[in-house]
Amino acid sequence: MTTTQFYLQPVSLQQAQQIYEQHMTRDFPPAELKPFAMIRQGMQQGSYDFLALYRADDTLMGYAVLVAEPGQPAALLDYYAVLPQTRGGGVGAAGLQLLRQYYAAQKDSILIESEYPAEAPDPALAERRLGFYTRGGARKTSIVERLFGVRYTIFSLDCSAQGSARSESELEQALQGIYRRMIPGTVCAQAVQFGAEAIPYRPAVEWG
């Protein structure tokens, strides 16, 4: 499939809530899913983008939710999924390329968190996700992150030459900055760890 068969479209708050209730609650486990009130607040503040992936005939195929703060060099892909009936046909890969094009004039990189297979409930699925992002052109990094007890592998989907040139240290600093601005200080310190602090296992907790 090619990107010309699809397009990305920002959605309204009402459309975002409908996608959240009909699809996101099915596609993501509770430990990974923020309450919709947090997403709504981010959209209202202009720090969250909620994009729907449509086929050329306006059929919904998937969605992407990103932390995309104005003036910051990197966005964070918070949630990304294609609808179950459309999986396996190249829709997801096409969506990644559309995201890269969508943010090319705004961001250097889109940071992606993918669950660390050795600690994932379904290691085989986690491995397939790593392969999906790699095939989609994302750059796998050695950044170690643990978020609310869940360990993640970090990818960078570079949207520009500047993004491709950014070091892993710069990418980690950008990711840390996103979480410091998004989560209150004391909570952030307890819930988000990087580097050596992120390696020891911690039980997963749900978004408050």
Side-chain angles (χ1 to χ4, degrees):
M1 290 190 178
T2 64
T3 56
T4 58
Q5 296 175 266
F6 308 98
Y7 67 94
L8 286 172
Q9 178 75 39
V11 301
S12 67
L13 284 170
Q14 182 178 0
Q15 291 171 312
Q17 185 168 2
Q18 184 178 30
I19 291 172
Y20 182 95
E21 293 174 351
Q22 292 184 0
H23 303 294
M24 293 181 69
T25 54
R26 174 200 61 217
D27 296 333
F28 294 94
E32 294 182 25
L33 193 59
K34 294 180 175 71
F36 182 73
M38 293 181 66
I39 296 174
R40 181 177 59 237
Q41 182 180 28
M43 292 175 68
Q44 291 171 331
Q45 293 174 344
S47 60
Y48 255 68
D49 287 346
F50 202 122
L51 307 174
L53 175 63
Y54 293 103
R55 198 166 57 194
D57 63 1
D58 300 330
T59 299
L60 180 67
M61 304 294 283
Y63 54 87
V65 185
L66 301 97
V67 182
E69 303 160 293
Q72 297 298 324
L76 171 63
L77 184 60
D78 220 4
Y79 301 102
Y80 179 64
V82 297
L83 304 192
Q85 64 270 27
T86 69
R87 293 172 188 166
V91 177
L96 286 181
Q97 298 313 307
L98 285 172
L99 282 170
R100 173 181 269 161
Q101 295 170 20
Y102 186 90
Y103 285 102
Q106 308 171 47
K107 304 293 181 186
D108 293 342
S109 307
I110 299 171
L111 300 173
I112 301 170
E113 300 162 325
S114 191
E115 204 166 4
Y116 185 65
E119 294 184 15
D122 187 338
L125 176 60
E127 286 285 2
R128 290 197 296 273
R129 287 175 176 168
L130 298 184
F132 166 74
Y133 289 123
T134 300
R135 291 191 301 274
R139 172 166 50 115
K140 185 179 178 181
T141 76
S142 60
I143 298 169
V144 180
E145 178 202 54
R146 190 175 294 278
L147 175 65
F148 286 91
V150 180
R151 183 172 171 179
Y152 291 97
T153 298
I154 307 302
F155 289 85
S156 175
L157 185 65
D158 301 324
C159 303
S160 67
Q162 290 90 341
S164 300
R166 288 196 180 276
S167 68
E168 291 193 2
S169 176
E170 290 174 308
L171 294 173
E172 182 175 328
Q173 289 175 9
L175 187 55
Q176 289 179 350
I178 288 171
Y179 279 113
R180 282 197 299 268
R181 291 184 294 272
M182 186 167 55
I183 302 174
T186 55
V187 178
C188 186
Q190 296 171 353
V192 188
Q193 294 87 32
F194 289 89
E197 291 185 355
I199 293 175
Y201 174 76
R202 294 175 176 84
V205 296
E206 297 184 16
W207 283 90

